[in-house]
């Protein structure tokens, strides 16, 4: 178990470092931050001075090293537009996004698990295709359209939920459902294929031969084991969720880090973008790591693979 | 396995519930909710060009003078009376017994410190140009101040409504960055907290010297999505929203939960053309091209169909409500043939390509739709316009300030709520100003003449000349004076402000 | 004689005819099993067809502005006219024409991006699976980095700096989508590697290139086709995402994504402006998904996709 965990930890570190390099590379190589900061009529002297100030005269790997060493201490520099430390800006807005994505994942599971299992059990039938349609509906329907429709129905017409904002559990329901609908298709597809695979396995046949009722077979054996691939990939979905989170946060005026990152990219506020990307990656990878550990605990075969 | 899952999910749910910020201790009855589309960049109003900063400033700070919304005349606020000693000296008497939010008393030294800070060229404050005519501020005694001006300064009284008074103690002791986030003023509300880009919470200043606001708390929520703002208004989540698109007014009026109110406002919309070549050489340095652009657009039709009539056509950028407006000057009328001819004369017989920088509808309603209509009109004359949409208003404004707005960009100006032609001519047309892309020495002379005499008749004549010059020279592409549209919840009473400053401290609950 | 001959011919004819009809009956039954897939394919053909034939079938140019007739409702509603079947948008452009033209953009971006990403992904997957060892490890690490990195951020960062345009969109979408292919192809290649015919090929001295492209790849075609089909749907949705954020195809060029974005403030009254493009996205992606599912089941029911 320890060796497995260690291996996963190594991979986690490599991935985070890789992402930090990637984000650093994109931002520094493609745009010239000095040109963006200075007014157009600034002279060459000003340009040189700023260049030195930002440390851009040093070779790229030195810049990266400085960035990385500072980042490890939590110093991602100051936002170029508001002069507050980038780290503080990102951390302040991280919890709402994390809660939202978790709630979205839960919602996705609530939709996808029953649909996926049903579809797997009744393969190729009308029910199978219906489940696919329902699940795909959420993804194919543009997120903001779904979001605004929900607002119109539940907030405006029924006055049952607050239209937007953050604070109570009621504020969570619509955004979570919107995000969940976005994730459901992929999750359902995974559940379905996972269950199909397992249903064909020997131990299921054994269980049936033993005389267990179909229901017991499904719930006790198939379901439990189908969870493994689902949990594994859910960890990955966390990263893909960010796209859905951006639109959801905009529509529901959710004070999350997704909209902060989008705004910062538009502003070309590099320190904030870098900090957000690295921290998000760290979280995503840590989630994956935890998932891998949990799955390793459940199924010893994976540890040896 | 099942146990593990159950445990995990329970933990998750507990985590979610436990860590959620508890709803604040305000109740619905004592809290007024106001929505903004984008957040301010600072709580230091003289350091920002954003309308939102001006509005928020009115809540936490006071100015020397204040405008009476019914008569539109300027009356006392922190200053109780004023008079001219001579052509270049104003003496202002200050109100006694006023305290700042931190307890320190308001005296003349605070006035001096506030003005000197703005006037200091080293500080590069945004509002400096507004008050540049003031040469010095002298303390006569604790409640009397003398302003010496650089020549006669006719706008002095109007401009007293345009600068918030900071505490001298705060300015002296605290660094610049602190002041951006912690406004200490004398105003009817105090800032409790600011979650950037999310919301502000204000609480009533119970020691306020003036009329105390009815609502104890004000929540200012940042809701960038317009459809969400309207949904919030009609579902009771928000009480007041501004810059409602004319197309959505029927949704609000039919909801039974809220209503709309309109008012002509000072804000005037226009398209700036880079005549001054701040962004380098471009076709708009040629007068014929600028005239062609003005002749291509059928602004009256756009006002009628796209804004549902909510706009007042202007011949130049001077608003009908501003002093100095020339009612006899008629605006450009659409004439596609003449536009094409002018373009051909200027060397563009086959039309030309233009980049057009546009932004989101933060203060100008239906801006995207009107831009699309303008672009379509200009295409008829041969202008092939490509829109470059910048989604963040702060970014757009910053780029314009740096000279990167050319060759054409969307602009509107609120006059800093000063009802005078000078309030737009100086900042938007004077050569070298940060937000001006026009340079004409003759106009500069006229601007200077207009602000250098106290004789209102002479000033009016100067401004007539200035407007004729701007019209003939087609300095920019002129549009219209905006009409503000507000959405107001039926649970409150609120008067749509003609000076575009929303005053939450004047809102009262509606009697059932 | 003649009658006999005639009878004989008839008899022969009948016997000859019998197997024909039997065969066609079998085919029809097989197709009926995939009726949803077939229906989806027909719908898809309609969409693609209308997109290709757009210039000839649209009633108006998608760019004609007519502010006098703006916000016109669809023909069947009060205030609608037959002249504009689906109504007009916020500056009077005909919605039907724009929706049809919008299909062009979505389909072009979808197919081009998928071609790019599948090519990259398959090649890398083959390399990882076939050569294993360090090559595998490095490619898989890259895959993990890219899968963890939220696509939207990457797209935003790149497009925000390079500027929004059709080509940039295709490039971004193509270059970021390959990890999924790589993963699946790698797994399949790893399995195929150990098969006898591959070992035989190696024993015969076939070069690696030949083994990969002549022996392994042909077995993977069905997997690739199914994944690619499903990814087209995903790319179309991602395009609408980016357009919603203002980073996709720029107006006035009609694209379902930017039409959604422009129509979002009208959801409360002139709902048709956003709804019809949204419906187009929905129907198209649903059809692609159903067709992809049917394709998968038809080619190889055991495919784990």
């Amino acid at each position: 178990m320890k060796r497995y965990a260690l291996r996963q930890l190594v991979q986690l570190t490599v991935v985070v470092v890789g992402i930090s390099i990637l984000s650093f590379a994109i931002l520094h190589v493609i745009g010239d931050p000095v040109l963006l900061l200075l007014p157009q009529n600034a002279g060459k002297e000003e340009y040189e001075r700023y260049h030195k100030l930002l440390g851009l005269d040093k070779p790229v790997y030195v810049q990266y090293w400085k960035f990385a060493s500072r980042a490890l201490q939590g110093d991602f520099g100051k936002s170029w537009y508001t002069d507050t430390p980038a780290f503080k800006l990102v951390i302040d807005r991280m919890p709402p996004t994390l809660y939202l994505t978790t709630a979205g994942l839960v919602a996705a599971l609530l939709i996808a698990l029953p649909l996926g299992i049903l579809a797997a059990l009744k393969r190729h039938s009308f029910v199978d295709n219906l489940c696919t349609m329902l699940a795909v509906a959420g993804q194919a329907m543009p997120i903001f359209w779904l979001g605004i429709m929900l607002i119109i129905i539940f907030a405006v017409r029924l006055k049952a939920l607050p239209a937007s904002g953050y604070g109570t559990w009621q504020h969570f329901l619509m955004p979570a459902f919107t995000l969940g609908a976005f994730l459901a298709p992929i999750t359902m597809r995974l559940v379905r294929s996972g269950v199909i695979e397992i249903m064909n396995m020997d131990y299921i046949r054994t269980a049936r031969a033993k005389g267990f009722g179909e229901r017991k077979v499904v719930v006790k054996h198939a379901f439990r084991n189908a969870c493994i691939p689902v949990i594994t990939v859910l960890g990955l979905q966390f990263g893909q969720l960010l796209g859905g989170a951006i639109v959801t946060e905009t529509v529901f005026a959710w004070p999350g880090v997704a909209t902060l990152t989008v705004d910062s990219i538009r502003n070309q506020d590099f320190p904030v973008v870098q900090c957000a990307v690295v921290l998000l990656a760290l979280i995503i990878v840590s989630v994956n790591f935890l998932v891998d550990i949990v799955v390793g605990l459940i199924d010893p075969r994976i540890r040896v693979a | 396995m099942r146990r593990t899952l159950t445990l995990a999910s329970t933990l998750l749910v507990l985590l979610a519930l436990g860590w959620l910020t508890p709803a604040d201790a305000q109740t619905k009855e004592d809290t007024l909710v106001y929505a903004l589309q984008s957040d301010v960049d600072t709580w230091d109003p003289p350091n920002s060009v954003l309308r939102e900063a001006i509005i928020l400033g009115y809540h936490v700070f006071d100015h020397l003078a204040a405008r009476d919304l019914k008569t539109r005349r300027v009356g006392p606020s922190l200053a109780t009376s004023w008079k001219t000693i001579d052509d270049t000296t104003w003496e202002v008497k200050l109100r006694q017994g006023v305290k700042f939010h931190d307890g320190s008393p308001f005296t003349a030294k605070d006035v001096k410190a506030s003005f000197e800070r703005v006037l200091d060229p080293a500080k590069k404050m945004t509002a400096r140009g507004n008050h540049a005519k003031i040469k010095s501020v002298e303390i006569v005694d604790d409640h009397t101040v003398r302003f010496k001006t650089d020549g006669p300064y006719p706008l002095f009284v109007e401009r007293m409504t345009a600068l918030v008074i900071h505490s001298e103690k705060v300015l002296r002791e605290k660094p610049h960055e602190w002041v951006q986030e912690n406004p200490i003023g004398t105003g009817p509300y105090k800032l409790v907290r600011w979650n950037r880009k999310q919301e502000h919470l204000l609480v009533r200043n119970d020691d306020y010297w003036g009329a105390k606001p009815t609502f104890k708390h004000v929540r200012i929520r940042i809701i960038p999505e317009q459809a969400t703002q309207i949904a919030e208004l009609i579902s009771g989540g928000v009480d007041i929203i501004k810059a409602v698109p004319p197309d959505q007014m029927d949704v609000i009026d039919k909801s039974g939960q809220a209503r709309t109110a309109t008012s002509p406002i000072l804000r005037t919309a226009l398209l700036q053309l880079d005549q001054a070549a701040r962004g380098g050489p471009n076709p708009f340095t040629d007068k014929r091209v600028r005239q062609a652009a003005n002749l291509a657009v059928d602004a009256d039709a756009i006002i009628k169909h796209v804004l549902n009539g909510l706009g007042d056509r202007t011949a130049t950028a001077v608003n009908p409500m501003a002093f100095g407006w020339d009612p006899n000057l008629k605006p450009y009328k659409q004439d596609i043939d003449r536009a094409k001819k002018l373009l051909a004369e200027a060397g563009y017989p086959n039309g030309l390509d233009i980049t057009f920088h546009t932004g989101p509808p933060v203060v100008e309603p239906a801006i995207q739709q009107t831009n699309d209509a303008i672009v379509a009109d200009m295409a008829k004359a041969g202008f092939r316009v490509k829109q470059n949409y910048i989604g963040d208003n702060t970014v757009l404004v910053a780029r314009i300030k740096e000279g990167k707005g050319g060759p054409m960009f969307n602009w509107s100006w609120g006059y800093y709520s000063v009802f005078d032609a000078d309030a737009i001519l100086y900042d938007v047309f004077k050569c070298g100003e940060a937000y001006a892309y026009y340079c004409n020495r003759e106009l500069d002379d006229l601007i200077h003449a207009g602000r250098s005499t106290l004789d209102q008749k002479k000033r009016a004549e100067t401004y007539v000349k200035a407007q004729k010059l701007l019209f003939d020279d087609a300095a920019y592409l002129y549009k219209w004076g905006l009409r503000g549209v507000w959405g107001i919840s039926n649970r409150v009473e609120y008067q749509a402000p003609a000076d575009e400053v929303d005053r939450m401290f004047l809102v009262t609950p509606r009697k059932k | 004689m003649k009658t006999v001959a005639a009878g004989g011919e008839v008899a022969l004819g009948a016997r000859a005819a019998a197997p024909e009809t039997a065969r066609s009956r079998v085919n029809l039954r097989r197709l009926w099993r995939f009726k949803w897939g077939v229906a989806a394919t027909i719908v898809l053909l309609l969409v693609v067809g209308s997109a290709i034939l757009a210039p000839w079938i649209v009633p108006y140019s998608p760019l004609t502005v007519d502010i006098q007739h703006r916000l016109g409702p669809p023909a069947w509603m009060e205030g609608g006219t037959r002249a504009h079947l689906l109504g007009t948008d916020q500056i009077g452009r005909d919605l039907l024409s724009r929706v049809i033209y919008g299909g062009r953009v979505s389909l072009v971006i979808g197919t081009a991006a998928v071609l790019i990403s599948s090519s990259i992904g398959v090649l890398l997957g083959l390399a990882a699976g076939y050569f294993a060892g360090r090559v595998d490890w490095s490619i898989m690490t890259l895959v993990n980095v890219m899968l963890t990195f939220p696509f939207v951020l990457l797209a935003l960062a790149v497009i925000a700096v390079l500027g929004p345009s059709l080509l940039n969109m295709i490039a971004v979408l193509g270059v970021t989508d390959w990890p999924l292919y790589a993963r699946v192809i790698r797994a399949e290649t790893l399995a195929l590697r150990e098969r006898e015919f591959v070992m035989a090929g190696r024993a015969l001295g076939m070069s690696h290139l030949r083994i990969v492209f002549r022996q392994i790849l042909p077995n993977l075609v069905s997997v690739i086709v199914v994944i690619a089909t499903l990814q087209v749907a995903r790319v179309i949705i991602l395009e609408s995402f980016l357009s919603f954020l203002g980073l996709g195809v720029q107006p006035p060029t009609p694209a379902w994504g930017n039409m959604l974005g422009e129509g979002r403030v009208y959801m409360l009254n002139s709902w048709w402006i956003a709804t019809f493009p949204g419906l187009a996205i929905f129907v198209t992606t649903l059809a692609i998904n159903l067709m992809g599912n049917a394709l998968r089941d038809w080619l190889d029911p055991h495919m784990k996709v």
Side-chain angles (χ1 to χ4, degrees), chain B residues 225-227 230-231 234 245 247-251 301-302 305-308 369 372-373 376 386-387 389, chain C residues 63 65 67-71 90-91 93 164 244-246 250-252 262 264-270:
Chain B
E225 193 65 30
Q226 283 201 308
I230 296 173
I234 61 183
D247 288 330
Q248 304 302 314
M249 285 171 71
D250 63 334
V251 175
I302 295 178
H305 295 286
V306 182
L307 294 177
N308 300 339
Q369 291 85 329
D372 285 336
K386 188 164 184 298
Q387 290 193 48
Y389 177 76
Chain C
L63 302 173
V65 173
I67 56 176
Q68 306 231 353
H69 295 112
R70 59 194 290 268
L71 300 179
Q90 67 274 13
I91 47 175
R93 296 177 293 207
F244 172 84
L245 294 173
Q250 296 294 296
E262 288 187 333
R264 71 212 225 208
V265 75
Y266 291 100
M267 291 279 292
L268 295 165
N269 47 5
S270 309

Side-chain angles (χ1 to χ4, degrees), chain B residues 34 36 51-59 242 500-502:
Chain B
Y34 173 52
L36 288 178
R51 170 58 44 170
E52 287 80 11
I54 298 176
I55 294 175
L56 291 184
Y58 264 75
H59 291 75
K242 66 178 179 75
E500 218 190 343
V501 176
D502 288 309

Side-chain angles (χ1 to χ4, degrees), chain A residues 208-238:
Chain A
R208 283 215 187 96
K210 274 197 194 165
F212 288 155
E214 188 68 13
R215 189 152 166 209
K216 200 168 179 190
V217 171
V218 169
V219 172
K220 233 180 150 198
H221 292 93
F223 178 64
R224 270 196 205 164
N225 291 282
C227 278
I228 295 176
V230 173
I231 293 178
T232 312
V233 187
L234 273 185
L236 270 173
Q237 301 293 53
F238 213 69

Side-chain angles (χ1 to χ4, degrees), chain C residues 52-99:
Chain C
I52 296 176
L53 296 173
W56 295 278
I57 58 174
V58 290
Y60 302 85
S61 156
L63 302 173
T64 315
V65 173
D66 179 12
I67 56 176
Q68 306 231 353
H69 295 112
R70 59 194 290 268
L71 300 179
W76 60 87
M77 283 181 63
E78 192 192 314
T81 79
R82 287 247 191 88
H84 294 285
L85 277 173
L86 294 183
T88 58
D89 71 359
Q90 67 274 13
I91 47 175
R93 296 177 293 207
D94 179 50
L95 215 53
L96 179 65
S97 316
R98 284 178 70 80
V99 170

Side-chain angles (χ1 to χ4, degrees), chain C residues 1-17:
Chain C
M1 186 81 160
K2 220 181 187 176
T3 6
V4 170
E9 274 164 16
V10 167
L12 269 172
R15 231 179 291 139

Side-chain angles (χ1 to χ4, degrees), chain C:
Chain C
M1 186 81 160
K2 220 181 187 176
T3 6
V4 170
E9 274 164 16
V10 167
L12 269 172
R15 231 179 291 139
E20 296 279 322
T21 42
R23 239 178 285 147
S24 56
R25 219 180 293 139
V26 166
N27 283 339
L28 269 174
R29 197 174 293 156
R30 194 159 187 235
L31 246 126
W32 184 246
R33 270 186 73 206
F34 297 103
K35 56 181 178 288
W36 289 105
V38 172
T41 315
I42 296 176
V43 168
L44 215 52
L45 282 172
L46 276 171
V47 171
V48 173
S50 65
I52 296 176
L53 296 173
W56 295 278
I57 58 174
V58 290
Y60 302 85
S61 156
L63 302 173
T64 315
V65 173
D66 179 12
I67 56 176
Q68 306 231 353
H69 295 112
R70 59 194 290 268
L71 300 179
W76 60 87
M77 283 181 63
E78 192 192 314
T81 79
R82 287 247 191 88
H84 294 285
L85 277 173
L86 294 183
T88 58
D89 71 359
Q90 67 274 13
I91 47 175
R93 296 177 293 207
D94 179 50
L95 215 53
L96 179 65
S97 316
R98 284 178 70 80
V99 170
I100 294 178
Y101 260 90
R104 298 187 130 198
V105 170
S106 303
L107 293 168
V108 162
I109 293 182
T111 32
V114 163
L115 276 170
I116 296 176
S117 55
S118 58
S119 312
I120 301 177
V122 167
L123 281 170
L124 285 177
L126 282 170
Y130 186 72
F131 291 112
R134 237 174 265 163
V135 172
D136 180 21
W137 190 85
S138 30
I139 292 183
M140 277 301 111
T141 313
L142 188 59
V143 165
N144 277 327
V145 169
M146 294 224 47
L147 278 176
T148 316
F149 202 88
F151 151 78
V152 187
L153 283 187
L154 191 63
L156 277 173
V158 171
I159 293 185
V161 175
L162 289 179
S165 81
L166 193 73
L167 277 165
N168 287 348
M169 281 252 284
I170 295 178
V172 167
L173 288 167
V175 166
T176 55
D177 218 17
W178 62 263
L180 181 65
Y181 299 93
R183 253 179 157 213
V184 176
I185 298 297
R186 167 194 178 263
E188 299 285 321
T189 311
L190 270 174
L192 279 172
R193 226 167 125 239
E194 309 303 323
R195 295 273 290 275
E196 283 159 359
F197 66 92
V198 171
M199 294 188 148
R202 277 225 289 275
L204 281 173
M206 281 170 84
S207 74
H208 289 304
L209 218 66
R210 250 186 119 183
I211 297 179
V212 166
F213 285 103
R214 286 295 199 86
Q215 298 195 311
I216 298 185
L217 189 56
N219 285 291
L220 302 176
V221 169
S222 31
V223 177
I224 298 175
V225 165
V226 173
I227 297 181
T229 311
L230 296 171
Q231 290 300 91
V232 172
R234 186 163 170 267
V235 167
I236 291 181
I237 290 177
L238 286 172
E239 180 268 315
S240 77
F241 234 42
L242 289 175
S243 300
F244 172 84
L245 294 173
L247 296 169
V249 176
Q250 296 294 296
T253 313
W256 293 338
N258 67 31
M259 288 166 72
L260 271 172
E262 288 187 333
R264 71 212 225 208
V265 75
Y266 291 100
M267 291 279 292
L268 295 165
N269 47 5
S270 309
W271 50 267
W272 51 90
I273 301 179
T275 306
F276 289 123
L279 219 63
I281 295 180
F282 179 68
V283 168
T284 310
T285 43
L286 186 62
I288 294 177
N289 267 288
L290 285 176
M291 188 182 85
N293 275 2
L295 210 60
R296 173 201 62 205
D297 291 335
W298 185 50
L299 288 172
D300 175 8
H302 295 293
M303 210 188 289
K304 302 183 209 130
V305 168

Side-chain angles (χ1 to χ4, degrees), chain B residues 112-286:
Chain B
K112 182 175 159 79
S114 303
F115 272 92
E116 284 183 347
R117 185 169 88 110
V118 169
L119 294 171
D120 184 356
K123 293 232 159 60
K124 296 206 183 107
M125 296 240 125
T126 315
R128 195 180 73 88
N130 283 348
H131 307 280
K133 283 285 262 192
I134 296 174
K135 239 174 30 188
S136 68
V137 184
E138 290 158 14
I139 300 177
V140 174
D141 61 51
D142 259 359
H143 299 283
T144 316
V145 186
R146 281 225 189 112
F147 291 88
K148 284 233 174 283
T149 65
D150 181 15
Y153 185 20
L155 282 180
F156 179 77
V157 176
E158 284 271 344
R159 286 257 161 78
M160 280 204 294
T161 67
L163 185 66
V164 298
I165 302 299
H166 276 94
S167 156
E168 182 265 342
K169 182 159 167 274
V170 167
L171 293 179
R172 186 176 18 104
E173 291 175 1
K174 302 287 188 187
H176 182 80
E177 288 78 38
W178 193 89
V179 178
Q180 306 306 303
E181 293 187 356
N182 300 284
I184 306 288
T186 57
Y189 281 104
K190 304 186 209 185
L191 179 66
V192 173
R193 73 159 173 271
W194 179 21
N195 295 335
R196 274 184 193 266
K197 297 203 188 212
Q198 183 195 343
E199 67 173 22
H200 306 248
L201 184 62
L202 307 178
V203 74
R204 179 169 59 209
N205 175 11
D206 287 313
D207 297 317
Y208 187 52
W209 58 266
K212 279 185 241 313
T214 320
F215 283 94
K216 180 156 183 246
H217 295 275
V218 175
R219 258 183 85 202
I220 300 167
R221 292 183 55 190
I222 313 296
I223 304 179
E225 193 65 30
Q226 283 201 308
T228 310
Q229 270 196 8
I230 296 173
E232 281 280 19
L233 178 69
I234 61 183
S235 66
V238 163
D239 295 305
I240 296 181
I241 63 176
K242 66 178 179 75
V244 176
D247 288 330
Q248 304 302 314
M249 285 171 71
D250 63 334
V251 175
I252 299 176
D253 288 319
K254 287 199 203 125
S255 68
Q257 197 42 44
R259 61 198 189 279
T260 56
T262 69
S263 166
I265 54 178
L266 268 180
R267 181 166 296 275
T268 313
L270 58 143
L271 295 188
Q272 287 210 31
L273 311 171
D274 195 4
Q275 179 263 12
R278 274 178 74 178
N282 68 83
F284 289 118
T285 49
D286 185 331

